[in-house]
Amino acid sequence: MVIKRFLNVVAGCRQMSVRMEKVSSYCKRGWKFFWQGDSFASWVVNIVVAFLLIYFVVYPVLGLVLGTSFPIVAVLSESMQHNLHDGAICGQTITDWKDSFNNYWDTCGYWYDSMGITKEQFRSFHFNDGFNKGDVIILWRADDVQVGDILIFQGGRPQPIILRVVKVWQEDGKTYYQTKGDHNLDSIKGALGEMKITSDRLLGKGVLHLPYFGWVKIVFVDLMALFGVQITR
């Protein structure tokens, strides 16, 4: 009886060892697929995992630290670029363009001059060279917003708008803001545009710029849209 029990224990240990070897084999294959795989499926899995980690781990923690429900936003348009998009910038079509602050100001500066914003003042602004689609902006709570700050606010679409403050004023005891995209011809008009932004629409102001990191979200959102899943933040 004792020998039989012993043999059963040995057999059980062997079966467990076989199962552990299979689990280990699957884990090694999964690890290799995730980190070393160069297939399309591996690429998709990497994007999905990165997005989920940011969305469910990094995002909530940063939100608590930075005091905003939108601690990280991806730039989804060309509105803040200081270079050509479809051959144009600030509503002007240009054939010969070289990226520089002086060239940008020579082309777009007249609008800011009309708002009382000088070239020297603009040069002192945070993100004075703009930023590009696919970049990421880290936010801080929208306290003490000044002309030149990058303001993130709710517009008429699910995704927040990221533009530069060009005017701040008081009216009937309330503070209002006007913004404009550095690349755009003018401020967006309309009820949910950027001519008279109320404080309840503010989500935060930009404090840090990370190039290219936003493409993870853009690609993932576009990928999910193919399956009918709409991601709004």
Side-chain angles (χ1 to χ4, degrees):
M1 181 65 70
V2 174
I3 295 176
K4 185 176 180 180
R5 288 181 178 176
F6 175 75
L7 292 176
N8 287 337
V9 170
V10 172
C13 289
R14 287 179 177 175
Q15 291 179 356
M16 183 176 294
S17 177
V18 171
R19 291 174 182 171
M20 291 299 295
E21 287 179 1
K22 288 183 178 180
V23 171
S24 177
S25 175
Y26 288 141
C27 289
K28 289 179 181 178
R29 288 163 59 185
W31 183 266
K32 185 176 181 180
F33 170 79
F34 184 78
W35 289 108
Q36 302 177 15
D38 55 3
S39 65
F40 177 75
S42 176
W43 178 74
V44 170
V45 170
N46 273 269
I47 291 176
V48 171
V49 170
F51 181 83
L52 292 176
L53 283 174
I54 292 172
Y55 194 87
F56 291 107
V57 179
V58 177
Y59 207 90
V61 172
L62 280 178
L64 290 174
V65 173
L66 301 176
T68 172
S69 60
F70 276 80
I72 304 175
V73 291
V75 181
L76 304 180
S77 76
E78 296 80 10
S79 295
M80 286 297 297
Q81 291 184 186
H82 280 209
N83 47 38
L84 299 182
H85 175 63
D86 291 338
I89 184 171
C90 296
Q92 302 182 49
T93 300
I94 299 175
T95 56
D96 186 17
W97 175 268
K98 184 177 180 181
D99 290 348
S100 73
F101 180 81
N102 286 333
N103 281 345
Y104 171 78
W105 191 262
D106 290 343
T107 305
C108 305
Y110 71 93
W111 191 95
Y112 298 97
D113 282 331
S114 71
M115 296 291 293
I117 299 173
T118 66
K119 182 178 181 179
E120 291 71 25
Q121 185 181 358
F122 194 101
R123 195 188 290 273
S124 70
F125 290 162
H126 205 30
F127 307 109
N128 59 16
D129 285 325
F131 40 82
N132 300 321
K133 178 180 179 179
D135 293 349
V136 157
I137 304 298
I138 307 298
L139 277 61
W140 184 256
R141 63 178 64 92
D143 292 341
D144 191 29
V145 176
Q146 303 291 328
V147 169
D149 287 343
I150 300 302
L151 190 64
I152 293 81
F153 60 97
Q154 203 66 59
R157 298 172 295 177
Q159 299 290 350
I161 298 175
I162 311 168
L163 297 172
R164 189 182 304 279
V165 178
V166 294
K167 183 179 178 182
V168 181
W169 74 99
Q170 298 283 331
E171 187 177 313
D172 297 328
K174 296 181 180 180
T175 304
Y176 296 93
Y177 309 89
Q178 180 182 343
T179 61
K180 175 186 173 294
D182 290 3
H183 191 278
N184 297 345
L185 174 62
D186 201 351
S187 298
I188 299 172
K189 297 175 175 61
L192 288 177
E194 47 180 329
M195 296 296 294
K196 194 174 183 179
I197 303 166
T198 54
S199 297
D200 60 304
R201 293 170 57 193
L202 305 188
L203 300 172
K205 61 181 181 181
V207 293
L208 185 64
H209 163 229
L210 302 176
Y212 309 118
F213 281 81
W215 283 109
V216 173
K217 177 179 179 179
I218 292 173
V219 171
F220 182 75
V221 169
D222 290 345
L223 182 66
M224 291 297 99
L226 295 176
F227 299 97
V229 178
Q230 298 295 324
I231 297 176
T232 60
R233 56 178 298 172

